[in-house]
Amino acid sequence: MNAEAALPGAPFLARDLPGEGGRLRLEGHALADLAQRFGTPLFVYSRGAMRSALAAYQDALRGRAHLVCYAMKANSSLAVLQTFAQAGCGFDIVSGGELARVQAAGGDLSKVVFSGVGKTRAEMAQALRAGVRCFNVESEPELDTLNAVALDLGLRAPVSLRVNPDVDAGTHPYISTGLKGNKFGIAHADALAAYRHAASLPGLRVVGIDCHIGSQITQTGPYLDALDRLLDLVEAVEAAGIAIHHVDVGGGLGITYTDEQPPAAGLLVAELLHRLDARGHGHRELLFEPGRSLVGNAGVLLTEVLVLKPGHVEDGGKNFCIVDAAMNDMVRPAMYQAWMGIEPCEQRACPATTWDVVGPVCESGDWLGHDRSLAVAPGDVLALLSAGAYGMTMSSNYNTRPRAAEVMLDGAQVHLIRERESVAALFANERLTA
Ligand SMILES: *Cc1c(COP(=O)(O)O)cnc(C)c1O
């Protein structure tokens, strides 16, 4: 396999041939040059990669009633939302803050679905006034609260019940949110009663059913199982005289970080449509809530090597490559023991050594990659790959570290879409006592 094909995010991410300098490029732009121009740590995204990831869903759904709602918690920067809004995409939100971002980015509020186990009354009212497409309701008490808020405003809230399909853990152990015993969704066994209750409340209007069974799923089987469970319920609920318009199968499709081979979105969609048709539900509108699979492989996090700290490897020590990005910029390795690719932006002639790539934060858990073979020197720029999802949105200011800047590449254009945070901004809201 050549180096280019091995990069997750190809064809947008590619490396020049060694004879041509071996520079790493995203959407044609040399990443080392962007690091030089904008500083590090720096998130760089390819708009082309985001558009093509969305198109993979939309193309497979063409000719069918459908809506793709980008699960924006994966990356909610305004220019990212703008990219999807311009392509006709809706949004899956989990807070009033995210709703405000959709508005600020020019998104279509009638294409917004509002998920989450703990919506406040204020958030419900905000979303009702904004005219969102539907509330994905996760409990019976939430139905009652939403009904009361809607009646107060003289409105009716469109609702879909998030059902926990309890797909077989033995078969699909990696599914983390669609099983009994987690906080998400209404148990499958309780769902018919919850629909009856919803239909009886004057402030609510039943419009759909949904589920979201987990994240970084790399097979289609769990989705088909979940869809079957949803359709069983749809049939039971409609037999009880309550119409259900749309079926929302959630998000969770995985991406390639290392050697994962998730199905293409088009294949997943085709299999789900086939199952809908086979069960006589082909007329239903199908909703998706992809997050990671739309943005994950579209972004990298650039970081500069600060210090090389060789260890006494023969005594079980480690070689540390200390970089200027840390767990506050990208928490996935520290939080989930996630493996993310690390590539030098320019290739060096020196021999490779095995390094633990770590940040400057005062925590032993502050690492980006363990045991990586890299030919590096201080001042080199490294790219953390597949950093477009759950990077910036999960970042923090731990150790009073300002958050990174973000750049969006769009063909020949380079847009700075978020300025680097200033240190002064970090404590601007704080007050000394008298
Ligand atoms: C997080 C989330 C998603 C998106 O998950 P990904 O794994 O990023 O695709 C979709 N729907 C809901 C309700 C979520 O909480």
Side-chain angles (χ1 to χ4, degrees), residues 71 73-74 92 94 115 162 212 214-216 250-253 289-293 390:
K73 72 177 189 287
D92 173 47
V94 292
S115 301
R162 174 167 174 182
H212 172 67
S215 203
Q216 189 53 18
L253 184 60
E289 301 169 353
R292 188 192 311 271
S293 57
Y390 303 107

Side-chain angles (χ1 to χ4, degrees), residues 54-350:
L54 175 63
Y57 284 91
Q58 289 176 332
D59 291 350
L61 286 160
R62 183 155 300 144
R64 305 289 288 244
H66 74 275
L67 183 63
V68 179
C69 293
Y70 168 52
M72 61 182 278
K73 72 177 189 287
N75 186 328
S76 58
S77 296
L78 295 186
V80 173
L81 305 184
Q82 180 187 28
T83 304
F84 291 125
Q86 286 171 349
C89 192
F91 297 94
D92 173 47
I93 64 168
V94 292
S95 73
E98 287 194 342
L99 180 57
R101 279 185 176 273
V102 174
Q103 282 169 308
D108 183 345
L109 300 177
S110 71
K111 292 182 181 171
V112 168
V113 299
F114 190 177
S115 301
V117 286
K119 305 173 188 80
T120 66
R121 284 165 189 264
E123 287 175 323
M124 290 174 181
Q126 178 193 356
L128 277 166
R129 288 203 192 91
V132 301
R133 159 85 192 243
C134 89
F135 291 82
N136 289 344
V137 173
E138 301 215 15
S139 67
E140 286 226 29
E142 186 187 337
L143 286 174
D144 295 314
T145 308
L146 183 58
N147 177 58
V149 174
L151 291 178
D152 270 355
L153 294 173
L155 296 169
R156 277 184 95 183
V159 296
S160 161
L161 298 196
R162 174 167 174 182
V163 174
N164 189 333
D166 193 28
V167 287
D168 181 10
T171 325
H172 310 298
Y174 42 82
I175 291 169
S176 53
T177 63
L179 283 170
K180 273 183 199 154
N182 75 58
K183 70 178 179 180
F184 299 105
I186 295 171
H188 196 271
D190 301 334
L192 179 55
Y195 270 105
R196 283 208 167 94
H197 184 54
S200 76
L201 296 173
L204 304 185
R205 180 164 48 88
V206 172
V207 297
I209 188 166
D210 71 281
C211 69
H212 172 67
I213 55 177
S215 203
Q216 189 53 18
I217 299 167
T218 56
Q219 294 174 39
T220 57
Y223 285 100
L224 292 167
D225 290 352
L227 179 62
D228 273 330
R229 301 278 287 162
L230 290 190
L231 293 179
D232 293 346
L233 262 176
V234 168
E235 288 164 8
V237 170
E238 293 206 324
I242 302 164
I244 290 187
H245 174 72
H246 75 247
V247 175
D248 179 344
V249 293
L253 184 60
I255 64 170
T256 300
Y257 287 99
T258 165
D259 52 7
E260 304 93 335
Q261 295 187 318
L267 177 70
L268 173 64
V269 169
E271 289 190 11
L272 290 170
L273 288 174
H274 185 258
R275 183 65 58 94
L276 270 183
D277 291 345
R279 291 195 49 172
H281 292 270
H283 58 289
R284 282 188 202 286
E285 185 174 14
L286 191 58
L287 267 61
F288 283 85
E289 301 169 353
R292 188 192 311 271
S293 57
L294 295 191
V295 292
N297 281 335
V300 296
L301 173 59
L302 303 184
T303 182
E304 185 184 318
V305 177
L306 298 175
V307 191
L308 294 179
K309 205 173 158 187
H312 297 284
V313 178
E314 58 284 2
D315 304 334
K318 291 252 188 187
N319 295 319
F320 290 104
C321 170
I322 302 169
V323 298
D324 69 355
M327 63 187 288
N328 74 294
D329 301 297
M330 173 52 78
V331 78
R332 298 188 62 257
M335 191 157 158
Y336 310 115
Q337 281 75 53
W339 193 99
M340 302 180 73
I342 300 176
E343 290 279 331
C345 291
E346 296 182 292
Q347 279 176 329
R348 288 200 160 266
C350 69

Side-chain angles (χ1 to χ4, degrees), residues 15 52 60 83 104 236 416:
R15 188 182 286 290
S52 108
T83 304
L416 179 66

